[in-house]
Amino acid sequence: MRFSLNSRYSANFGDIHCADLNEIPAETIPSFDLLCGGFPCQPFSIAGVSKKQSLGRKHGFDDEKQGNLFFEILRIIDYHQPKVIFLENVKNLKSHDKGNTWKVIKSKLSQRGYNIFSQIIDGKYYLPQHRERIFIICFNQSYFPDLDFSFPNPPQKRLYELQDIFEENVDNKYTLSDKLWSYLQQHKENSKAKGNGFGYGIIDHKSEYTRTLSARYYKDGSEILVEQSNKNPRRLTPRECAKLQGFPDDFIIPVSDNQAYKQFGNSVIVPLINDIITQIKLTVDQYNTKYYLKSATPN
């Protein structure tokens, strides 16, 4: 997984250092102003918590393998004291453990001298995918003591619609086998009988947007299946997944289909992130201009 992820980044952006965050000494990281990242969402997501509970496993911060990576981010923050922090996670982060998880996160960041702004935004306003995520922006009070931040308004129109993501002449290997299609239909019927909504999701030419693309998409594609005439439905192709997340058409995908599905499922809505980053830069520039003019004005 680590090698393939590094391959994808290298193919598009050149050589980078890729390693386990737990193994990176903070002092070896070059100085920086903006920390941008996200700690694993599975310990906090609705589906992830449900699965871990059913298996008798710990979730949230008690998940030693994934949940504690937030504290590794704090370790980097403690050493470098970045001016701005930009974090992303699942919507359920705020409600996980009756809100206690969110209280811990806010408290840890506030104790380090950061003003915190957060908002849950649905990616469907940018691209045809229902993808609600929480975005957390923090400003170091040592540099921005009274800065106020507002998240950008979503565009009035999506960058493109669902029908625009589909490739032509899709290989038959993406069409579900009779066995898998029968299993998914039966699973949905069983879930319906139990009174829950678990089961596959299917899109057609009338659909406005898809369900959330997840890292488990490689398993059966069940959350987003594409209807086909006189055939079983099919998975999205890796290129269609890239498009659904907002990656450009010339983005190189040098890994296997399964790895691509995992990586795009774990990714973010690119134009939404770009909008937030642009808003951060605009806010900081305006603050610095205001501060400079104020300090330059004679008493």
Side-chain angles (χ1 to χ4, degrees):
M1 176 66 175
R2 185 187 302 177
F3 173 77
S4 61
L5 180 62
N6 193 19
S7 297
R8 190 188 73 175
Y9 271 87
S10 296
N12 287 278
F13 305 113
D15 291 335
I16 62 166
H17 179 66
C18 184
D20 186 335
L21 181 61
N22 294 286
E23 301 172 358
I24 302 177
E27 60 271 19
T28 66
I29 301 174
S31 180
F32 59 90
D33 290 329
L34 169 66
L35 185 151
C36 182
F39 41 104
C41 64
Q42 292 89 339
F44 310 102
S45 70
I46 295 174
V49 170
S50 178
K51 181 178 180 180
K52 289 177 184 293
Q53 287 178 329
S54 68
L55 296 174
R57 296 176 182 174
K58 296 178 180 180
H59 55 86
F61 289 142
D62 291 327
D63 183 334
E64 295 180 359
K65 184 178 180 180
Q66 295 179 314
N68 285 330
L69 281 178
F70 170 70
F71 297 100
E72 290 300 309
I73 292 177
L74 291 180
R75 176 174 61 85
I76 305 301
I77 292 171
D78 286 341
Y79 186 87
H80 285 280
Q81 293 291 304
K83 295 178 181 179
V84 185
I85 302 169
F86 179 7
L87 302 175
E88 177 264 359
N89 214 284
V90 290
K91 171 187 176 181
N92 196 49
L93 186 70
K94 272 199 169 183
S95 57
H96 179 263
D97 190 22
K98 300 179 181 179
N100 290 322
T101 296
W102 179 235
K103 288 180 182 178
V104 170
I105 290 172
K106 287 178 62 179
S107 175
K108 295 297 183 183
L109 292 169
S110 294
Q111 289 170 11
R112 286 161 170 78
Y114 287 90
N115 283 327
I116 305 163
F117 303 86
S118 66
Q119 187 165 315
I120 294 170
I121 304 176
D122 194 336
K124 72 179 183 180
Y125 297 109
Y126 289 81
L127 299 171
Q129 178 190 176
H130 174 55
R131 191 181 191 89
E132 290 183 294
R133 291 293 185 267
I134 183 171
F135 298 94
I136 307 164
I137 313 299
C138 311
F139 293 92
N140 192 322
Q141 295 183 64
S142 296
Y143 298 97
F144 313 108
D146 58 351
L147 181 147
D148 189 27
F149 178 78
S150 296
F151 283 85
N153 294 320
Q156 295 182 347
K157 184 179 180 181
R158 295 190 189 98
L159 299 181
Y160 43 80
E161 298 302 328
L162 185 56
Q163 301 306 311
D164 298 327
I165 77 165
F166 297 132
E167 293 188 280
E168 297 182 1
N169 303 316
V170 174
D171 194 302
N172 283 330
K173 70 178 183 179
Y174 297 106
T175 296
L176 300 189
S177 66
D178 290 339
K179 182 178 180 180
L180 178 55
W181 180 223
S182 295
Y183 166 77
L184 291 178
Q185 291 179 91
Q186 187 60 56
H187 177 66
K188 188 165 188 173
E189 286 299 318
N190 294 342
S191 296
K192 186 177 180 180
K194 294 177 182 178
N196 63 51
F198 296 127
Y200 68 85
I202 198 161
I203 54 177
D204 57 26
H205 68 282
K206 296 180 182 178
S207 300
E208 186 177 357
Y209 50 79
T210 71
R211 289 183 179 182
T212 302
L213 180 67
S214 72
R216 72 166 302 281
Y217 193 74
Y218 76 97
K219 293 183 177 181
D220 53 29
S222 62
E223 60 260 47
I224 308 173
L225 295 174
V226 183
E227 185 179 72
Q228 299 187 104
S229 299
N230 302 317
K231 295 172 66 175
N232 294 343
R234 68 171 178 87
R235 292 180 174 90
L236 296 170
T237 68
R239 180 58 62 186
E240 290 170 336
C241 290
K243 189 83 170 179
L244 195 59
Q245 292 283 44
F247 286 85
D249 293 337
D250 60 355
F251 188 82
I252 301 170
I253 307 175
V255 296
S256 67
D257 282 3
N258 281 356
Q259 288 293 344
Y261 286 138
K262 290 179 183 179
Q263 292 171 18
F264 286 123
N266 271 328
S267 187
V268 293
I269 299 288
V270 175
L272 170 54
I273 297 299
N274 183 69
D275 257 17
I276 295 176
I277 287 289
T278 300
Q279 186 73 5
I280 290 173
K281 184 178 186 304
L282 177 64
T283 301
V284 169
D285 287 346
Q286 289 178 340
Y287 180 91
N288 287 337
T289 299
K290 179 180 177 181
Y291 179 81
Y292 172 79
L293 292 175
K294 183 177 180 180
S295 62
T297 302
N299 293 330

